[in-house]
Amino acid sequence: LLIKLAYESWLKREELSNGLIGKVCFVLISLIGVGYLYSHFASAVEQQLDNHLFWLSILFVVSNGLLIMWSRTSKLKQLLLCLVIALEMGLNFNQMLKATPFESETRFREDMLEFSNVLEPLYEKDEDLYRVDNAVRGIDNGYNSSFLYNYHSTPYYSSTLNNSLRKTLENLGLNSKNERRISSVGQTEFLDYLFNVRYKIEASKTAGATVVKINETAQTSMGYVVPKELTKVHFVEKDPFGNQNKIAKNLVEDVQKIVVPAELRQEKRNSYQYTAKVDGMAYLYLPNNQMEKVKVYVDNQLITPKVEIRNQALLSLGDLKKGESATISFKSDEEIILDSTSIQILDTTVLNQVKEELSENRLKISEWKDSHIKATVDVKTDDKVLFMSIPYDQNWVVKVDGRKVAPSRILDDFMGIPLTKGSHQVELSFIPQGFLLGAVISLASLIGLGALEILKKRSKAKK
């Protein structure tokens, strides 16, 4: 649109007065000035308009305005104007793109080859429906590696991301930088099992070279038969430890907590010692700090997750045995205050107990495609529900033993299917909203076009 307006103005350049050109230049300079002042004194974004760019922009506006006044009839002067505009556009292009990150084609090709070599044997070995967690920082930080390498996973980066699901995962401790993305950073081993993460892509150094390999975590399932009480569980914002304890408590009758606070003692400013009360992985959660401005060290070793986390993700600190201690320190301009709930341990004993309970009541998938799943499940007692680690969506059609049933929300944003005691065949089909109506309209349009073509040929034949 701007190019069209500029071209039309140039065609009528002889009709434009010097006063009008001067006014336009004055308005442009004023707008640049407003932008400069806003970026320095009012904007929430830290990046400010550079002083050199500010004056350079004004210089080009003034010089272009003068050249337009001066070169209305002279071809040579118009060539000078063309060169100045080309120079301005070139500098602008360079300035805009020099800070834009681009991926390396060589790295992209190497990643494709490396990941394909480890994933293709996995597809042949295990044809079940499961998720894979990529613990290796890859193209786009691994957010959409599952699309690139064709596997199912938790991380996702899209403008159409289900925001309700994103908030639910965030409440469980997963990292979410903004409304467009969710990462698996912060996903505990307990959530791995619950969400059917069966394999992890990991990197290890061998003889100085980095080797990517896949390790199996556990024989997980896309669904588990769970107590009906789990349908009443709702998550509290910024309480991932409490939310995971709620799940575990309602899964296994005699379990109260799956994550337990560590004993905490402050040694000096931004340095604490924590001691494990149980065996397990330690996690840090600091909801009120800007974690992108904080470096975390455990026993002088820098903790570096695969993506930058902010204040809402659980940060894994490493395994500890009961009674073992570690020192956590922070490199930050501000003081980091920890309380008794900031560092908690995922109890390995309770985790194994929960895994065993879920394993005995897991869904067995017999057939699956992108939008269709067939499976079997045994229910030992009444008042049970099948938890599916598939996000709830009203467009899922669920059948149990051939009869259509209405799924419900469970754990805020996942799918729950009511079941009675006995063996059941479960079938799920996904029909996108508007698909049937769209298909009918498309078919009617196709028939209409065909009919018009026939009428057109008959009309020509008569003539």
Side-chain angles (χ1 to χ4, degrees):
L1 179 62
L2 289 173
I3 291 170
K4 184 176 186 297
L5 289 171
Y7 178 66
E8 289 181 352
S9 299
W10 179 251
L11 291 178
K12 297 180 180 180
R13 60 189 178 278
E14 293 181 6
E15 301 174 21
L16 302 176
S17 67
N18 289 345
L20 180 60
I21 295 171
K23 287 176 183 176
V24 170
C25 291
F26 176 76
V27 169
L28 287 173
I29 292 170
S30 299
L31 290 172
I32 294 170
V34 169
Y36 176 83
L37 293 173
Y38 182 81
S39 74
H40 278 261
F41 302 109
S43 176
V45 180
E46 292 182 7
Q47 191 173 0
Q48 297 176 339
L49 183 61
D50 184 81
N51 290 334
H52 296 97
L53 288 178
F54 172 69
W55 291 112
L56 192 61
S57 299
I58 290 175
L59 175 64
F60 274 115
V61 170
V62 172
S63 60
N64 284 334
L66 292 173
L67 280 169
I68 290 170
M69 295 178 191
W70 186 48
S71 65
R72 295 180 200 229
T73 55
S74 170
K75 297 275 185 183
L76 192 61
K77 293 173 182 177
Q78 287 172 17
L79 178 61
L80 178 60
L81 174 63
C82 182
L83 290 173
V84 171
I85 290 173
L87 175 65
E88 188 274 333
M89 290 179 69
L91 290 172
N92 204 329
F93 181 82
N94 178 68
Q95 176 63 31
M96 292 299 293
L97 288 187
K98 73 178 184 181
T100 303
F102 288 94
E103 282 295 347
S104 160
E105 186 275 336
T106 303
R107 180 191 167 199
F108 181 87
R109 183 165 19 93
E110 289 173 352
D111 278 9
M112 282 294 295
L113 183 63
E114 192 167 32
F115 278 83
S116 297
N117 286 340
V118 295
L119 283 165
E120 285 175 8
L122 176 64
Y123 302 149
E124 295 175 6
K125 181 186 84 171
D126 192 345
E127 297 179 350
D128 198 3
L129 181 58
Y130 49 82
R131 291 187 175 93
V132 177
D133 182 37
N134 181 3
V136 180
R137 182 182 175 132
I139 302 294
D140 81 355
N141 287 336
Y143 275 110
N144 284 332
S145 293
S146 55
F147 291 99
L148 188 60
Y149 308 121
N150 192 30
Y151 62 87
H152 302 102
S153 191
T154 306
Y156 191 53
Y157 189 159
S158 168
S159 297
T160 60
L161 177 63
N162 181 329
N163 196 47
S164 177
L165 173 67
R166 182 189 70 84
K167 286 182 177 178
T168 295
L169 294 174
E170 190 179 62
N171 289 336
L172 287 169
L174 275 68
N175 178 53
S176 178
K177 189 175 181 180
N178 52 41
E179 291 81 359
R180 298 187 302 277
R181 67 184 97 184
I182 191 72
S183 167
S184 61
V185 171
Q187 188 164 295
T188 65
E189 190 179 344
F190 171 45
L191 295 178
D192 281 345
Y193 198 87
L194 197 65
F195 294 161
N196 193 22
V197 178
R198 191 175 297 180
Y199 298 96
K200 281 187 180 288
I201 304 174
E202 298 176 316
S204 60
K205 287 195 174 181
T206 305
T210 301
V211 178
V212 173
K213 60 182 180 179
I214 290 185
N215 296 318
E216 184 173 358
T217 58
Q219 273 296 313
T220 58
S221 174
M222 190 57 75
Y224 302 100
V225 177
V226 297
K228 207 170 183 178
E229 286 74 21
L230 209 65
T231 59
K232 299 174 184 176
V233 171
H234 297 288
F235 299 140
V236 176
E237 190 176 345
K238 293 186 178 181
D239 187 17
F241 294 128
N243 292 332
Q244 292 191 42
N245 278 333
K246 279 184 186 179
I247 299 172
K249 183 179 178 180
N250 285 276
L251 278 176
V252 183
E253 196 171 312
D254 56 345
V255 164
Q256 290 300 313
K257 288 186 177 181
I258 196 168
V259 281
V260 181
E263 290 182 6
L264 197 65
R265 180 172 62 85
Q266 185 169 9
E267 295 184 325
K268 56 184 179 179
R269 186 180 188 271
N270 285 351
S271 181
Y272 297 81
Q273 185 186 76
Y274 60 95
T275 304
K277 298 177 183 177
V278 293
D279 296 349
M281 178 70 72
Y283 292 92
L284 169 72
Y285 187 66
L286 293 176
N288 300 316
N289 293 88
Q290 291 182 296
M291 290 300 290
E292 68 268 30
K293 296 182 178 180
V294 178
K295 287 187 177 180
V296 181
Y297 295 83
V298 172
D299 293 335
N300 297 319
Q301 294 292 317
L302 179 64
I303 303 297
T304 53
K306 64 179 179 181
V307 298
E308 177 189 76
I309 68 168
R310 293 202 171 181
N311 56 4
Q312 79 279 8
L314 293 178
L315 183 60
S316 176
L317 303 179
D319 276 308
L320 286 177
K321 295 291 184 184
K322 183 179 180 179
E324 282 186 347
S325 299
T327 299
I328 185 170
S329 55
F330 303 96
K331 187 177 180 181
S332 171
D333 294 334
E334 299 178 0
E335 184 175 4
I336 306 299
I337 306 296
L338 302 186
D339 60 30
S340 59
T341 63
S342 299
I343 298 177
Q344 302 204 27
I345 315 295
L346 180 65
D347 191 332
T348 301
T349 304
V350 176
L351 175 63
N352 291 334
Q353 191 179 348
V354 172
K355 281 184 178 180
E356 186 178 349
E357 180 75 19
L358 290 173
S359 178
E360 291 175 358
N361 299 279
R362 62 195 191 102
L363 185 76
K364 296 179 178 67
I365 293 176
S366 54
E367 180 185 331
W368 67 273
K369 297 182 206 175
D370 289 343
S371 58
H372 190 80
I373 299 172
K374 281 186 178 180
T376 59
V377 65
D378 292 324
V379 183
K380 296 171 185 176
T381 60
D382 285 321
D383 294 327
K384 297 289 184 180
V385 65
L386 178 63
F387 164 80
M388 300 287 291
S389 58
I390 295 174
Y392 174 86
D393 193 298
Q394 61 183 2
N395 296 302
W396 277 108
V397 176
V398 179
K399 291 182 180 178
V400 176
D401 300 327
R403 298 180 63 182
K404 191 174 176 180
V405 300
S408 60
R409 289 182 184 272
I410 185 171
L411 298 186
D412 283 353
D413 257 288
F414 294 95
M415 187 158 55
I417 302 170
L419 295 175
T420 56
K421 184 179 178 181
S423 297
H424 298 284
Q425 296 279 341
V426 180
E427 188 174 353
L428 292 88
S429 302
F430 189 83
I431 302 175
Q433 187 175 6
F435 174 78
L436 294 177
L437 179 60
V440 169
I441 292 171
S442 298
L443 182 60
S445 301
L446 188 61
I447 293 169
L449 286 171
L452 285 171
E453 189 65 25
I454 292 169
L455 289 172
K456 186 178 176 182
K457 286 182 178 179
R458 284 184 178 179
S459 177
K460 284 184 178 180
K462 286 179 182 180
K463 289 179 180 180

